[in-house]
Amino acid sequence: MKKKKVFSLLLAGALAVSMGTGVSAATEDEIAYAQEQKSEAQSGLVQTEAAISSLEGKKQELENYLAELDAQYNELTNSLAQLDAEAAAKEEELKEVQAELEKAREAAKKQYEAMKIRIVYMYEHGGSSMLEMLLSSRNLAEFLNQAENVSQISQYDRNMLKKYEEMRESIKQQEEEVEQESQAITELQNQKSAKQQEVQAMAANTSANITSYVNEISASRAEASALMAQIDSADNHIAALMEEAEAEKAAAAAAAEAEREAAAEAEVEESESQTPPDFDPETDTLDSSSSSTSSDIIVEEEGEEDLYGSSEGTYEEEDLSAETDTSAEEDTDIVEDTGSVEETAGTEETYESSGQGTYLGNFLLTGYCSCAQCCGTAGNATASGTMPSSGHTVAMAGVPFGTQLSINGTIYTVEDLGTPYGHVDIYFDSHDQALSFGTQYADVYQLN
């Protein structure tokens, strides 16, 4: 009956352990799936951050180009203002030249009319005048003087006519020059105005492109925030699953220990219920105990040999030796019955601890550096107060500072925070090295 009870207890324990193992396997699958989802989110985050960086660069280029366009537009505006002033001055100059030309024309017209009258008069009355002048002259000298006067008047008229022609030609040339300069200024104004409109259109287009990049950057940052939230959620989920797995392992180990103790207790009860052939009421309790207890009884009987004789002591010693053999056999049975449970517990302990240290699990590995993009501000010390170093410093919550972790044959020290338990962030000297490391998974062992 007792053996059936022990067998039932062992069978129940085996079922409990197997159920716990099944739940742990399911939890491990969930952890692997969550880690896969987290890895995908981190890859998407890296790509999104790269896209943001590219968009920021393009936006900066457009902003620089827009600044150049603004400077060019302002220069054109100033140039147009200067041309407007020059055009106004040329317009006034042209008006003055035209006024002078008009005055010269009036004077020349008057002079021409007077000269024309004299010429007509000279042609009409030239002969009689010369004769009258000769006859009216008192002497030859007076006649010559009058003839000289007539000649000077004619020469004056010719000079004035020539001067009029020269002045008219000069004014006409000056008028043409002013008109050409005014036309050139007008054309330059038109060119500057067209260029200004072109620059204004380019500036508007560039501003629109900058706005588009700003919207894309905002959308990418929102996507990055969502991915970071997804990563944090995955970290929390992984941590919860790992805690659940650890709790299941602890519960399975406790159940196995309880079953082992119950089986051992049942074996002891069964051995006590069996009565040996040479039953002695005074030593019955000691018969069911261990071999060490039987040895104590032998010593006691050897003490009685001095009181009752050697033959009696020998008889009692033989009986007790037999009882000792029976107890040893019972103890052997107990050990054999509980051996499977102890072997299972030993196997579990070997899985938790190896020559590389205490196995913590297959963790997510990423890289970071001390730049502003990774840490917010550049050149800061770690959360533990030390300066980080490549090949030595890692960040992970859930373990105290100074904990040594063995990862892929390299020993690191936990000196920083920023990632949950199950996610190890390895420090690198440069941002490029951290990006090149990417995301990986590796078995992690705790050495201290």
Side-chain angles (χ1 to χ4, degrees):
M1 188 69 181
K2 292 290 184 178
K3 290 184 177 179
K4 290 183 178 180
K5 180 179 179 181
V6 172
F7 180 75
S8 300
L9 290 173
L10 291 176
L11 181 60
L15 289 174
V17 171
S18 63
M19 290 176 64
T21 304
V23 173
S24 298
T27 304
E28 290 177 358
D29 291 340
E30 292 179 358
I31 292 174
Y33 178 74
Q35 288 176 341
E36 182 180 357
Q37 294 295 319
K38 178 184 175 183
S39 177
E40 293 179 358
Q42 285 180 330
S43 299
L45 179 60
V46 171
Q47 294 177 358
T48 302
E49 289 177 348
I52 291 174
S53 178
S54 177
L55 290 173
E56 289 284 358
K58 294 179 179 179
K59 174 176 168 287
Q60 185 63 41
E61 291 178 359
L62 287 178
E63 288 177 348
N64 296 335
Y65 181 59
L66 181 61
E68 294 178 0
L69 291 176
D70 289 338
Q72 189 176 358
Y73 182 81
N74 293 331
E75 182 180 356
L76 288 172
T77 301
N78 297 331
S79 179
L80 280 174
Q82 184 178 358
L83 288 174
D84 290 338
E86 292 179 1
K90 287 297 179 182
E91 187 69 23
E92 292 296 328
E93 184 179 355
L94 182 60
K95 289 180 180 179
E96 293 177 359
V97 170
Q98 289 175 349
E100 291 179 359
L101 181 60
E102 188 64 29
K103 290 179 181 180
R105 285 174 180 171
E106 290 294 331
K109 183 178 181 181
K110 291 179 181 180
Q111 183 180 355
Y112 178 73
E113 291 295 333
M115 185 179 62
K116 186 172 66 171
I117 293 172
R118 285 194 298 270
I119 291 172
V120 171
Y121 178 80
M122 289 174 63
Y123 275 101
E124 289 179 353
H125 306 284
S128 60
S129 297
M130 291 296 292
L131 181 60
E132 289 176 358
M133 184 176 60
L134 180 61
L135 294 176
S136 63
S137 299
R138 292 188 298 268
N139 51 36
L140 183 61
E142 186 178 355
F143 173 75
L144 293 174
N145 287 333
Q146 290 181 356
E148 181 66 23
N149 290 334
V150 173
S151 176
Q152 288 180 357
I153 291 172
S154 299
Q155 184 65 33
Y156 171 78
D157 289 337
R158 285 194 296 270
N159 291 337
M160 291 302 293
L161 180 61
K162 183 179 180 181
K163 186 177 179 181
Y164 162 72
E165 293 294 338
E166 291 177 354
M167 183 178 63
R168 188 177 66 175
E169 187 68 25
S170 176
I171 293 174
K172 184 178 180 181
Q173 184 178 359
Q174 187 176 2
E175 183 181 18
E176 290 177 356
E177 290 178 357
V178 172
E179 288 180 353
Q180 289 176 359
E181 291 178 359
S182 178
Q183 185 177 1
I185 292 173
T186 303
E187 291 179 358
L188 190 57
Q189 279 181 317
N190 295 333
Q191 292 177 1
K192 295 286 186 180
S193 179
K195 184 65 175 178
Q196 189 181 34
Q197 292 178 358
E198 181 182 355
V199 171
Q200 189 174 9
M202 293 171 64
N205 187 25
T206 303
S207 299
N209 291 334
I210 291 175
T211 302
S212 176
Y213 280 129
V214 168
N215 294 333
E216 290 183 15
I217 290 171
S218 299
S220 298
R221 284 178 177 171
E223 183 180 355
S225 298
L227 290 172
M228 290 180 68
Q230 184 178 350
I231 291 172
D232 292 338
S233 177
D235 285 335
N236 296 332
H237 185 52
I238 291 171
L241 290 175
M242 294 185 70
E243 290 179 0
E244 181 181 352
E246 292 296 331
E248 290 177 354
K249 289 181 181 179
E257 181 65 21
E259 293 299 331
R260 185 183 68 80
E261 292 178 356
E265 185 178 353
E267 285 294 332
V268 172
E269 291 178 357
E270 182 179 3
S271 63
E272 288 178 353
S273 63
Q274 295 178 356
T275 303
D278 48 352
F279 174 74
D280 189 352
E282 294 180 358
T283 61
D284 180 56
T285 304
L286 300 175
D287 289 341
S288 62
S289 61
S290 63
S291 60
S292 61
T293 307
S294 300
S295 299
D296 294 339
I297 296 174
I298 293 173
V299 172
E300 184 179 355
E301 291 300 328
E302 288 176 353
E304 292 179 356
E305 183 179 358
D306 296 336
L307 298 175
Y308 298 104
S310 60
S311 60
E312 185 178 358
T314 303
Y315 175 76
E316 292 291 333
E317 183 177 355
E318 291 176 357
D319 292 340
L320 291 175
S321 299
E323 293 173 0
T324 301
D325 295 338
T326 304
S327 299
E329 292 176 358
E330 293 173 355
D331 291 341
T332 303
D333 293 338
I334 294 173
V335 172
E336 290 178 355
D337 290 337
T338 60
S340 60
V341 179
E342 292 176 354
E343 183 179 358
T344 303
T347 302
E348 182 177 359
E349 184 178 0
T350 303
Y351 174 77
E352 293 293 337
S353 178
S354 66
Q356 301 181 22
T358 302
Y359 178 69
L360 299 182
N362 188 261
F363 287 178
L364 171 66
L365 307 180
T366 57
Y368 78 106
C369 68
S370 58
C371 70
Q373 186 174 355
C374 291
C375 303
T377 56
N380 293 334
T382 62
S384 63
T386 62
M387 294 305 295
S389 61
S390 180
H392 173 76
T393 302
V394 295
M396 185 179 74
V399 296
F401 291 137
T403 301
Q404 292 184 340
L405 304 178
S406 176
I407 304 173
N408 293 330
T410 303
I411 298 176
Y412 299 93
T413 302
V414 179
E415 295 179 343
D416 209 349
L417 295 175
T419 58
Y421 183 83
H423 178 184
V424 181
D425 211 3
I426 301 175
Y427 177 82
F428 290 91
D429 288 332
S430 67
H431 192 71
D432 292 337
Q433 293 177 355
L435 288 178
S436 299
F437 183 78
T439 57
Q440 304 178 16
Y441 288 91
D443 293 333
V444 179
Y445 298 85
Q446 181 177 342
L447 302 180
N448 56 352

